[in-house]
Amino acid sequence: MSFAARQQQAEAVWQEFIQPARLRVLIGSATCGRAAGSLEVMQAFAEELTKAGLREATDLVEVGCLGMCYAEVLVELRGRDGKRVLYQGVEPRHVADLVQTQLVQGEIFQPLALALMENGEETTPAFYELPMIKPQVRIVLRNCGIIDPTNIDHYLARGGYAGMTRAFALGPAQVIEEMKASGLRGRGGAGFPTGVKWGFARNSVADQKYVICNADEGDPGAFMDRSVLEGDPHAVLEGLLIAGYAIGATVGYVYCRAEYPLAIERLQGAIAQMREQGFLGTDILGSGFDFDIIIKKGAGAFVCGEETSLMQSIEGKRGMPLSKPPFPAVSGLFGKPTNINNVETLAAVSAIMEKGAAWYAGYGTEKSRGTKTFALAGKINRTGLIEVPMGIPLKMIIEDIGGGVLGGKPFKAVQTGGPSGGCIPAQFIDLAVDYEHLAEVGSIMGSGGMIVIDTESCMVDMARYFLTFTENESCGKCVPCRMGTQHLLRILTDITKGKGNLGQIETLRKIGDTMKSASLCGLGQTAANPVLTTLRYFEDEYRAHIEDKKCPAGACRALITFTIVAARCTGCGACLRACPVAAISGVKKHAHSIDQQLCIQCGSCRQVCKFEAVLVN
């Protein structure tokens, strides 16, 4: 069957799926949705639909993550009238009402309704007018939450593998030029131009070449790659195939951490479908191109996000970085020319090859083209996965998309780039988010973690937290990283306990600068960023810990005490019940008190008090 005929077949399947002839229930069931209870919700729908006699007339489908993690479990229902409604916070106890109200009676279940989607699939739904969604441009996330990720027909009907066939028509050299013209830069953190990188590997002469998809996402608070693999695996695999074609590789690897079982399951299913369709194997679609894909499970070492460490792991060796040169494009996996891109980059590649370089380059800024996904987390009202044009103001991400800081507290800083990134203070709230502007303030784009920090967070403790991670994840091969992370963590720990001295501020800077200039790989070169940027913008907090033995944010346990203001306390007992060590005493409707000898400074009392009666000193 020709590719055009296969597309027509897939389009027929998709039209049947989107037409209102059948009832439909879509459940956001990526890892985030499952953690919130989506599988239990799905089971409840299966039972309630059966009771109502509607099971055979209803498509009950798991889809990927729509990105609005704060609103999980998300469910979209389509009734007999074709009206589509997106519901938020769905629990099994709500399912009977949802089935009866919309699928039986044709009405909207107002308590959980988030957005009324317009009839049909071709018009712009109200979903795209939601505050969190409206500023976004969904290219990498174009299919997530919309298609059944286990159905290749859905991907084909929405333009899938058209980029592959276009690449075959253009030829490898022109595909590389298309990538260069698009302005796509590697989304794994370094931001190196993708087309240029492919050109290096293309020009290397060898009997065997490899392409690798780096899906070893290890940043705390990051879940971009996982969500794409779970919601749209074919977009990534098509991009990997195109990369292989461009550089002349016949084997591709997807290096995915074993901690992502659902992503691996989706990948395995998608690869099997590619083989069935003739998109993998020998002479793919008569192009003369041979290609196959292998999944390699990683053990979850953060350092294996670095290219040479990743390749060492695939070869069965301990994941430790190698000195460069030679670079992977010359001598990589098994000593052969190798190209490595991350999940987001490859998902963008398949879209670029389908719609063209000029289309993609129309988004973003002159030096940072296209879009970027971010995992929006921390003290923010609307946590989730977003995709925005490069150059968008940081303020728009935090206030318009994220809905502002949790609890209405003042915005203090944002950590970008994960544990290797920097803390950007509130004074740069209008900063354009792209590679160049982030670098100017001492941070990095990284793979796309974005953690929002409020005034109740201590910047010294934040730096200590990230150093705890990088010190533990250092492979130990080079001295600057191995010893540097240890010394930084020891000093930061002392300062948060009130045991620091002023001379240690300069010591932190010296160690950090040494690590940046002398470490072997990107882990060590960037591990000091949280320390250096917090010193740059929040040195006063370091000095308060050292000189005054106080934590201004009230976060470092060794330097704070909690007290209850009797005039504000109503005696509700919430703090008493929340205290894990029974340090609070009092009777109902009378002011309570805290036994300082028993208190462990956990802050539970402060978190549950609705009357601001608990103060931190």
Side-chain angles (χ1 to χ4, degrees):
M1 183 184 297
S2 69
F3 182 74
R6 185 65 187 85
Q7 279 184 314
Q8 290 179 353
Q9 188 181 72
E11 180 64 25
V13 173
W14 178 250
Q15 288 300 321
E16 183 178 350
F17 179 70
I18 67 174
Q19 291 303 318
R22 289 176 57 82
L23 302 176
R24 192 178 74 179
V25 179
L26 304 184
I27 300 178
S29 198
T31 294
C32 52
R34 292 187 175 195
S38 66
L39 294 183
E40 291 79 4
V41 170
M42 175 160 278
Q43 179 61 34
F45 266 106
E47 294 172 359
E48 290 298 328
L49 289 168
T50 300
K51 290 178 184 177
L54 299 174
R55 184 64 191 91
E56 295 301 318
T58 305
D59 292 321
L60 181 59
V61 180
E62 288 185 71
V63 294
C65 176
L66 275 172
M68 297 182 290
C69 299
Y70 76 97
E72 297 284 6
V73 173
L74 288 162
V75 175
E76 181 193 307
L77 299 186
R78 183 181 68 199
R80 289 189 175 89
D81 57 0
K83 186 183 297 180
R84 298 159 51 224
V85 181
L86 183 66
Y87 295 98
Q88 64 178 329
V90 178
E91 300 175 18
R93 61 189 177 92
H94 300 131
V95 172
D97 288 332
L98 287 167
V99 170
Q100 287 298 316
T101 303
Q102 183 167 352
L103 300 186
V104 175
Q105 300 170 13
E107 302 294 332
I108 297 174
F109 185 65
Q110 294 294 344
L112 301 182
L114 180 62
L116 172 63
M117 319 290 262
E118 295 182 18
N119 292 348
E121 302 278 343
E122 301 305 321
T123 55
T124 302
F127 168 73
Y128 293 107
E129 294 298 318
L130 290 172
M132 186 176 187
I133 303 300
K134 189 173 182 179
Q136 296 190 43
V137 175
R138 296 166 70 89
I139 296 175
V140 171
L141 304 178
R142 58 192 179 274
N143 292 320
C144 291
I146 297 173
I147 68 170
D148 176 355
T150 66
N151 191 331
I152 192 173
D153 286 321
H154 287 193
Y155 182 67
L156 283 166
R158 289 177 58 85
Y161 292 103
M164 172 190 69
T165 58
R166 180 168 178 256
F168 291 163
L170 290 175
Q174 190 56 42
V175 168
I176 291 173
E177 291 304 312
E178 190 82 354
M179 285 300 112
K180 291 178 181 178
S182 74
L184 177 65
R185 297 169 63 173
R187 297 298 194 245
F192 194 81
T194 301
V196 174
K197 189 176 185 179
W198 288 11
F200 292 154
R202 176 72 188 174
N203 292 333
S204 293
V205 179
D207 59 346
Q208 176 68 59
K209 296 180 183 181
Y210 298 98
V211 286
I212 300 174
C213 169
N214 180 356
D216 190 55
E217 184 176 51
D219 297 14
F223 45 89
M224 301 79 61
D225 293 353
R226 185 197 72 205
S227 296
V228 174
L229 291 172
E230 292 173 351
D232 193 16
H234 283 287
V236 181
L237 295 174
E238 182 185 2
L240 184 63
L241 186 152
I242 293 169
Y245 177 72
I247 75 164
T250 58
V251 178
Y253 281 87
V254 179
Y255 186 85
C256 184
R257 54 182 46 218
E259 297 160 333
Y260 284 1
L262 182 58
I264 291 172
E265 179 185 325
R266 294 278 193 263
L267 285 167
Q268 289 171 335
I271 290 171
Q273 290 173 339
M274 291 177 72
R275 290 198 178 104
E276 290 173 3
Q277 300 297 322
F279 300 161
L280 289 179
T282 59
D283 191 23
I284 298 172
L285 298 185
S287 65
F289 175 53
D290 302 341
F291 193 70
D292 202 2
I293 297 175
I294 301 167
I295 297 173
K296 171 66 176 179
K297 297 179 184 179
F302 182 64
V303 73
C304 286
E306 192 274 335
E307 291 186 339
T308 59
S309 300
L310 184 156
M311 291 186 292
Q312 292 279 289
S313 179
I314 291 178
E315 292 176 8
K317 304 171 185 175
R318 182 179 176 185
M320 301 176 78
L322 301 176
S323 298
K324 303 174 189 176
F327 291 94
V330 175
S331 178
L333 186 63
F334 303 115
K336 302 297 184 180
T338 305
N339 180 84
I340 304 177
N341 293 119
N342 85 323
V343 167
E344 183 180 348
T345 307
L346 293 172
V349 164
S350 52
I352 291 168
M353 288 309 301
E354 177 199 354
K355 297 188 176 182
W359 164 78
Y360 187 79
Y363 298 104
T365 64
E366 182 179 354
K367 295 182 179 179
S368 297
R369 301 287 187 182
T371 61
K372 181 73 187 78
T373 63
F374 290 99
L376 194 56
K379 301 294 184 68
I380 192 81
N381 281 305
R382 292 194 284 262
T383 57
L385 178 64
I386 65 172
E387 183 175 2
V388 293
M390 286 282 199
I392 188 174
L394 182 60
K395 184 176 183 179
M396 182 174 288
I397 293 178
I398 294 172
E399 295 184 0
D400 296 349
I401 296 176
V405 178
L406 197 64
K409 295 182 174 66
F411 168 62
K412 184 175 185 177
V414 62
Q415 169 87 2
T416 67
S420 301
C423 290
I424 303 171
Q427 70 193 72
F428 296 117
I429 186 83
D430 294 316
L431 184 77
V433 178
D434 58 26
Y435 290 102
E436 291 72 34
H437 286 93
L438 289 179
E440 287 175 6
V441 297
S443 191
I444 60 174
M445 184 75 70
S447 58
M450 185 173 285
I451 301 175
V452 177
I453 303 167
D454 67 9
T455 51
E456 291 185 359
S457 299
C458 171
M459 304 311 295
V460 184
D461 191 54
M462 286 292 295
R464 183 202 59 79
Y465 167 77
F466 285 117
L467 258 296
T468 300
F469 177 83
T470 48
E471 188 269 343
N472 183 63
E473 292 291 340
S474 172
C475 75
K477 184 174 183 178
C478 72
V479 174
C481 178
R482 181 178 72 245
M483 300 306 297
T485 53
Q486 290 181 28
H487 287 308
L488 287 178
L489 180 58
R490 175 182 55 80
I491 294 171
L492 290 169
T493 301
D494 283 347
I495 293 174
T496 58
K497 291 182 177 180
K499 299 177 182 179
N501 61 73
L502 286 176
Q504 289 176 323
I505 291 179
E506 187 57 30
T507 301
L508 289 172
R509 287 196 175 99
K510 287 182 178 179
I511 294 173
D513 290 339
T514 300
M515 291 174 63
K516 290 184 72 171
S517 60
S519 293
L520 182 59
C521 81
L523 191 157
Q525 292 163 9
T526 59
N529 279 345
V531 182
L532 296 175
T533 53
T534 52
L535 279 172
R536 180 176 175 181
Y537 300 116
F538 300 98
E539 185 175 334
D540 58 324
E541 289 198 29
Y542 281 82
R543 290 184 174 273
H545 284 71
I546 294 170
E547 295 178 315
D548 304 328
K549 308 301 180 186
K550 291 183 178 180
C551 175
C556 296
R557 292 189 182 188
L559 302 180
I560 60 174
T561 57
F562 289 94
T563 57
I564 296 176
V565 180
R568 297 182 185 176
C569 181
T570 64
C572 69
C575 61
L576 187 150
R577 293 187 295 272
C579 181
V581 294
I584 299 177
S585 60
V587 296
K588 192 173 182 179
K589 296 186 178 180
H590 289 78
H592 290 26
S593 61
I594 300 175
D595 186 334
Q596 298 299 328
Q597 297 300 314
L598 297 176
C599 180
I600 59 172
Q601 290 81 36
C602 66
S604 297
C605 54
R606 188 185 186 197
Q607 292 174 8
V608 300
C609 182
K610 298 179 180 179
F611 307 100
E612 298 185 352
V614 181
L615 297 185
V616 58
N617 303 303

